[in-house]
Amino acid sequence: MGFKRHATAHWEGNLETGQGRMSTPQSGLFDGTRYSFKTRFGDEKGSNPEELLAAAHAGCYSMALSFILQNAGHTAERIDTRADVQMEMTPGPHATGVHLTVSAKVPGLSADEFAGFADNAKENCVISKALGIPVTMDAKLA
């Protein structure tokens, strides 16, 4: 049985001076969170689509790694994942890749075993598969 998730965005005005609001009605986590040209391409406070993509990827990867470890009979004490979305501006804004930085504490695993599980999670995480851009990773046991 499948399922759907959704989010909404509302925008007013032109690209550089306009602004918008993003919401995640199902979870209620975001409710009219502001975003604009300056929050996306500058350093003004507020969210942006790339930040949300990075959060989604970090969360998805951590869960995928936990699942893969579980299926192999291991339980992680912790998994910390950072996702950096690389953006380029020419010929227009586009994501060129994501780099995952992963640190995990998993009792009873060697570094080589962990590396295999970490790579498996990188290749099979739903967000990694959906992106269609290169995903690189540094993963280590803590």
Side-chain angles (χ1 to χ4, degrees), residues 14-136:
N14 68 31
L15 176 63
E16 290 187 20
T17 61
Q19 66 175 353
R21 303 270 178 192
M22 294 184 283
S23 297
T24 53
Q26 288 175 302
S27 70
L29 182 61
F30 294 132
D31 186 15
T33 300
R34 190 176 77 72
Y35 75 113
S36 69
F37 184 86
K38 291 179 182 176
T39 66
R40 188 171 188 189
F41 300 109
D43 57 6
E44 189 174 291
K45 285 284 187 187
S47 193
N48 60 73
E50 292 76 23
E51 173 184 64
L52 297 176
L53 176 62
H57 203 173
C60 181
Y61 176 85
S62 293
M63 290 181 77
L65 180 55
S66 177
F67 180 70
I68 288 166
L69 289 167
Q70 173 188 318
N71 285 345
H74 303 281
T75 300
E77 287 184 18
R78 67 173 181 76
I79 299 169
D80 296 305
T81 305
R82 174 180 169 146
D84 291 288
V85 176
Q86 177 63 43
M87 297 293 294
E88 296 295 333
M89 298 304 290
T90 306
H94 63 285
T96 59
V98 177
H99 183 76
L100 301 173
T101 304
V102 183
S103 175
K105 186 172 183 183
V106 187
L109 277 188
S110 71
D112 287 342
E113 289 172 315
F114 176 71
F117 293 131
D119 283 338
N120 186 349
K122 178 183 71 114
E123 296 303 319
N124 291 295
C125 160
V126 171
I127 302 298
S128 292
K129 288 176 157 183
L131 289 176
I133 57 177
V135 177
T136 58

